[in-house]
Amino acid sequence: NGETFLLVFYLLNGEINFSETDKKVLAVIRGNPHIKRSDMISSLGIGKSTLDRSLKKLKDAGLLKRIGSNKNGYWKVPQ
């Protein structure tokens, strides 16, 4: 199947397609590294599952890291 081939090709070449939501999440975090998930959901107008997926994708790609606990921690965007 052509779609499966393309998916495998992109994965092997290390390319990840980021959605507009992913980009917005990263921008919000850059603007406020101490932002809470609930505030991100409100400001972006997205659901919890959408935010969780986006955060996972960004963390897996090495573009985002959580430092500290969920309550007192902050987000770090490596340069």
Side-chain angles (χ1 to χ4, degrees):
N1 173 331
E3 291 178 14
T4 303
F5 173 76
L6 283 176
L7 178 61
V8 171
F9 177 78
Y10 280 119
L11 291 175
L12 289 175
N13 285 309
E15 294 181 26
I16 300 172
N17 292 323
F18 294 101
S19 68
E20 286 303 312
T21 300
D22 299 334
K23 294 172 187 174
K24 289 177 184 177
V25 167
L26 198 57
V28 166
I29 291 172
R30 278 192 175 127
N32 179 6
H34 293 275
I35 192 167
K36 297 176 185 176
R37 289 176 190 245
S38 59
D39 294 337
M40 281 191 266
I41 289 168
S42 297
S43 68
L44 296 171
I46 60 175
K48 181 187 179 307
S49 296
T50 302
L51 178 63
D52 290 343
R53 262 192 314 275
S54 192
L55 291 172
K56 181 177 180 345
K57 187 192 290 186
L58 293 167
K59 286 191 278 187
D60 289 350
L63 297 175
L64 187 62
K65 187 175 183 180
R66 182 72 181 172
I67 307 295
S69 69
N70 285 339
K71 185 174 180 179
N72 297 316
Y74 64 94
W75 297 100
K76 182 174 181 181
V77 181
Q79 299 303 327

